[in-house]
Amino acid sequence: MTDAQKQTTLEVAEEAREKEWKHPSFLGSLFLGRVRWDMVHPYPEQDDQDRRKGDEICGKVGTFLKAHLDPDEVDRTGEIPKNVIEGLAKLGCFGMKIPAEYGGLHLSQTNYNRAIHLVASYCGSTAVWLSAHQSIGAPQPIMLFGTEEQKKKYLPRFARGAISAFALTEPNVGSDPATMTTTAVPNDDGSSYTLNGEKLWCTNGPVADVIVVMAQTPPKIVKGREKKQITAFIVETNSPGVKTTHRCQFMGLHGIQNGLIRFQNVKVPKENILLGLGQGLKLALVTLNTGRLTMPAAATAGGKWCLAVTRKWANERVQWGAPIGHHEAIGSKIAQMASTIFAMDSVTWLSAAFADKKNVDIRLEAAAAKLFCTEATWRIVDGTVQIRGGRGYETADSLRGRGEEGIPVERVMRDARINTIIEGTSQIMRLFIAREALDPHARQIFPLLSRHVSFPKKLQLIASLIFYYAGWYPSLWIGRPFQESAKGMPRALKHHVGFVNRMSRRLARDLFHAMMLYQQKLEKKQRLLGRVVNIGTDLFAMAASCSHAALLVKKNPADQSAVELADLFCRDARKRVLGHFKTLFKNHDAYADRVARRTLEGKYTWLENDIIPPH
Ligand SMILES: Cc1cc2nc3c(=O)[nH]c(=O)nc-3n(C[C@H](O)[C@H](O)[C@H](O)COP(=O)(O)OP(=O)(O)OC[C@H]3O[C@@H](n4cnc5c(N)ncnc54)[C@H](O)[C@@H]3O)c2cc1C
């Protein structure tokens, strides 16, 4: 890719970013040194009516799945039985968030996440069917951006069980969708477009009735320069020219329907454009902002399932004269698992509550929740395999075959691995969060460095910059009244509240220093930014855990278990946070970079000796 092409790609991605912050963001403030405890504490509680609605659907879905679905059979055959999909559709599971006026269940984000959390704890493939359809598939962008005609036409169909998919990825286009090559060219009479291209790994694609497809439409000329346009289309899969050319098979999630979908001269009416010409990437990114909230819900469910397996096994299995859970090396893993799951739960339901409030900007929290919960689940699953020993590696069928309980830890590990890759990889989540964390500074400082800004304008900018930073920067060195933020917190957690406040200010200072030091080059410092994001994410999880524990203890003062879990999570998180600060500026990143480059250049190929090469 030439430098000019790289620049165009970055511009397209930047253009698609949501630039406005219409509502407050907990993490956005935290990166600026201000912890908005008022947003997380008291921890939001589901109101009774909403909870009952959630209990009802979760009860029905749980009973139905246990009676009709065998997840190991799904894994073995690669199919979810038709009667299960039809049964779920009858329960309204394909229209969970769709408003009642269009025939849906109109669940809140919290209840929708509860349903996915429940399904994911039983069968990962089934959870992905439901989630790909309505977290990112057609209902979500149509609800967010569709015209009234589009809503009336499609939402009732989905509520009755029609299936949808979301097609962004292409064989050569993954994390960087701005470079996509699928095209949609307007036809002569202007009433339709002709779609050509290939979309890869489209979940539900092979069985979908409708797919939201992102494609390049003709560029716009802005100030004499061509500007790339990406547009979202609602595509009916029964249109001539739509074909699944390959059903993809994966390490896990054997029951999902995922394919390479070819669009060959597919005619799409112009009424099927979603949000408007050139708005496709923005639509995809905004859809994913809320859509990815189901990932932490599903991941947390996987973690809880692992804890249940581990707890039983670590009590039952006796080695060296004691249950393995009593050996310190295993016990410490279990303690960390339990406290991390409490933090994951706290983050998951706090983020869902933020989404339901509708007056909170959730893009950073959703990304941080996805990053935190999916990475934690992977560690938890790995720990579960280790604690189950050989049985963790053995398939459920094999365990059953020799007379033991068929606990499918092996399948759950295979199913869970994808979570840190789909809907934004962990690396991309870190870059996304870092970009948004830097945004308030970038807006102030970057125009000063630009060649396109006139000198008088720069003087004006410098004046407003001095005014802003003269107020903000000194405040990062001065503590705020601690009592206020710690009000209502259990005594054992109060010092963690103080830590979050102090570290938030330190983070804001260091981020500002990094910005001044590296300026525009900072975006290339991925390891530094990664540490910044890891600190912010841990502080967010600490705040959520403390406030969640405070709520649980308030409701049942006799039970302090939530405080114990939050306290242990925070103690571990503090160590991580301090470790990241320590290496923020003093590290050997440059040296590791050099080794990486030399590895890529083939300087160490002698290390790959004495093997049968993969390629
Ligand atoms: C089971 C499954 C289901 C899927 N479902 C869908 C779907 O329904 N719809 C859809 O459109 N797509 C879907 N995808 C695609 C998925 O979203 C992509 O796999 C994901 O976006 C990553 O793209 P990629 O695999 O091409 O990896 P790449 O983008 O090629 O990345 C490879 C690696 O490089 C890293 N990387 C990339 N860019 C950077 C960077 N700038 N800085 C640092 N690291 C970087 C990534 O984090 C990753 O580790 C699915 C994929 C799978 C496997």
Side-chain angles (χ1 to χ4, degrees):
M1 199 188 254
T2 64
D3 282 351
Q5 281 168 327
K6 262 192 218 162
Q7 186 57 28
T8 310
T9 313
L10 286 173
E11 278 171 17
V12 173
E14 187 59 24
E15 184 94 344
R17 254 189 74 232
E18 266 185 284
K19 293 183 189 63
E20 295 307 312
W21 292 87
K22 291 193 194 105
H23 300 296
S25 155
F26 178 81
L27 259 172
S29 299
L30 189 142
F31 282 116
L32 284 171
R34 184 154 178 243
V35 185
R36 290 279 312 264
W37 287 100
D38 59 310
M39 292 175 75
V40 299
H41 181 57
Y43 191 83
E45 267 193 285
Q46 218 184 346
D47 72 53
D48 283 347
Q49 199 186 350
D50 200 47
R51 178 182 298 282
R52 275 197 299 276
K53 205 168 165 184
D55 290 347
E56 192 186 330
I57 185 72
C58 287
K60 284 183 189 165
V61 171
T63 309
F64 174 80
L65 287 182
K66 275 199 276 175
H68 296 94
L69 183 74
D70 173 0
D72 289 322
E73 180 75 9
V74 171
D75 187 55
R76 217 174 290 128
T77 60
E79 300 295 334
I80 299 175
K82 206 164 164 244
N83 68 312
V84 171
I85 298 298
E86 285 169 358
L88 288 171
K90 269 200 196 122
L91 290 173
C93 290
F94 286 88
M96 286 197 268
K97 282 174 69 185
I98 293 175
E101 60 188 294
Y102 302 107
L105 296 183
H106 203 179
L107 296 189
S108 59
Q109 184 70 37
T110 301
N111 280 338
Y112 171 59
N113 280 10
R114 284 179 62 192
I116 298 292
H117 175 269
L118 182 91
V119 178
S121 71
Y122 190 64
C123 176
S125 294
T126 308
V128 170
W129 264 70
L130 296 174
S131 174
H133 162 64
Q134 51 207 324
S135 298
I136 57 172
Q140 182 71 10
I142 292 178
M143 283 191 297
L144 284 173
F145 303 114
T147 61
E148 195 46 45
E149 288 73 48
Q150 288 169 338
K151 287 181 186 169
K152 280 192 181 132
K153 182 170 175 190
Y154 291 103
L155 295 181
R157 263 175 78 188
F158 297 133
R160 287 194 297 273
I163 292 167
S164 75
F166 175 85
L168 182 64
T169 307
E170 297 179 0
N172 290 317
V173 176
S175 304
D176 176 16
T179 54
M180 71 177 54
T181 56
T182 296
T183 55
V185 178
N187 294 323
D188 288 343
D189 64 1
S191 67
S192 61
Y193 283 74
T194 299
L195 188 65
N196 275 294
E198 239 182 355
K199 292 289 178 182
L200 181 61
W201 296 325
C202 181
T203 307
N204 288 354
V207 292
D209 301 281
V210 173
I211 307 182
V212 174
V213 182
M214 261 45 76
Q216 262 201 68
T217 41
K220 234 171 50 179
I221 306 294
V222 179
K223 292 182 187 159
R225 275 180 68 205
E226 264 196 8
K227 218 167 150 195
K228 205 169 173 176
Q229 300 283 289
I230 292 172
T231 303
F233 292 87
I234 305 171
V235 179
E236 300 270 359
T237 54
N238 62 6
S239 314
V242 181
K243 192 171 176 217
T244 301
T245 55
H246 178 75
R247 180 179 166 191
C248 304
Q249 309 290 335
F250 299 103
M251 171 196 290
L253 297 177
H254 287 172
I256 64 171
Q257 288 280 347
N258 178 300
L260 179 63
I261 315 284
R262 182 181 299 150
F263 301 92
Q264 198 167 22
N265 296 323
V266 179
K267 203 169 161 193
V268 188
K270 84 168 192 304
E271 303 79 70
N272 286 20
I273 290 177
L274 260 169
L275 189 59
L277 271 177
Q279 300 295 310
L281 203 50
K282 185 172 187 174
L283 173 134
L285 298 182
V286 176
T287 300
L288 280 167
N289 278 344
T290 326
R292 64 169 64 97
L293 276 177
T294 38
M295 294 293 299
T300 301
K304 290 179 183 178
W305 183 91
C306 285
L307 183 63
V309 167
T310 303
R311 186 170 52 78
K312 185 164 184 284
W313 183 244
N315 274 315
E316 281 173 3
R317 177 73 169 170
V318 175
Q319 292 290 288
W320 306 88
I324 56 168
H326 291 194
H327 297 304
E328 200 177 316
I330 298 297
S332 62
K333 270 189 198 298
I334 293 171
Q336 205 174 37
M337 230 183 235
S339 58
T340 305
I341 291 165
F342 181 73
M344 289 158 70
D345 221 24
S346 306
V347 161
T348 295
W349 304 113
L350 177 64
S351 308
F354 278 167
D356 282 329
K357 278 188 177 171
K358 309 234 184 306
N359 59 358
V360 177
D361 191 308
I362 56 146
R363 75 189 98 150
L364 285 179
E365 287 71 20
K370 196 264 175 190
L371 173 66
F372 176 72
C373 294
T374 56
E375 295 216 322
T377 301
W378 180 244
R379 288 193 301 272
I380 289 167
V381 175
D382 186 48
T384 307
V385 171
Q386 193 68 19
I387 291 170
R388 285 277 291 164
R391 288 164 180 82
Y393 194 65
E394 190 172 2
T395 67
D397 282 346
S398 173
L399 285 163
R400 261 184 236 112
R402 58 183 186 77
E404 287 202 25
E405 195 182 355
I407 300 175
V409 174
E410 172 267 346
R411 166 172 63 77
V412 167
M413 179 175 228
R414 285 188 283 107
D415 286 353
R417 185 59 191 88
I418 194 61
N419 291 342
T420 58
I421 297 173
I422 46 175
E423 294 182 27
T425 66
S426 289
Q427 289 74 21
I428 297 301
M429 288 299 89
R430 286 196 177 87
L431 293 181
F432 170 78
I433 295 169
R435 170 70 188 85
E436 298 304 336
L438 285 170
D439 192 51
H441 303 301
R443 279 174 197 242
Q444 309 255 11
I445 297 168
F446 285 169
L448 278 182
L449 309 172
S450 166
R451 278 179 291 136
H452 305 295
V453 175
S454 66
F455 185 65
K457 179 80 190 153
K458 280 189 181 173
L459 284 180
Q460 227 179 12
L461 284 169
I462 289 171
S464 72
L465 208 81
I466 291 171
F467 182 73
Y468 173 74
Y469 284 107
W472 174 76
Y473 187 74
S475 76
L476 299 179
W477 296 90
I478 307 162
R480 288 208 176 75
F482 166 68
Q483 297 308 337
E484 218 24 60
S485 42
K487 215 171 166 181
M489 283 291 174
R491 201 209 293 244
L493 301 180
K494 283 194 178 177
H495 64 123
H496 297 311
V497 171
F499 179 85
V500 172
N501 289 342
R502 286 195 307 281
M503 292 307 118
S504 161
R505 290 197 299 274
R506 183 171 170 187
L507 185 62
R509 290 196 304 262
D510 280 355
L511 194 55
F512 178 67
H513 298 158
M515 183 91 182
M516 300 314 280
L517 188 63
Y518 298 112
Q519 298 172 13
Q520 272 136 321
K521 286 192 193 126
L522 183 56
E523 66 175 290
K524 297 261 183 274
K525 299 264 169 208
Q526 292 193 350
R527 262 175 289 188
L528 188 156
L529 294 176
R531 290 181 194 109
V532 164
V533 171
N534 287 349
I535 292 170
T537 304
D538 257 333
L539 296 180
F540 172 44
M542 285 176 75
S545 303
C546 288
S547 147
H548 192 191
L551 173 78
L552 297 179
V553 164
K554 192 175 164 206
K555 287 169 96 173
N556 184 7
D559 183 358
Q560 293 287 315
S561 52
V563 173
E564 289 161 16
L565 292 173
D567 191 19
L568 179 60
F569 173 75
C570 289
R571 286 171 192 235
D572 284 333
R574 286 168 86 128
K575 279 203 274 180
R576 288 192 296 269
V577 165
L578 292 174
H580 287 311
F581 272 123
K582 213 168 169 183
T583 52
L584 210 52
F585 295 107
K586 279 191 190 154
N587 50 53
H588 54 264
D589 289 356
Y591 193 72
D593 266 352
R594 192 169 145 237
V595 173
R597 264 196 309 277
R598 287 171 64 77
T599 308
L600 292 170
E601 285 160 7
K603 294 286 190 306
Y604 313 124
T605 44
W606 48 265
L607 259 179
E608 298 161 18
N609 62 352
D610 297 341
I611 59 164
I612 298 173
H615 305 294

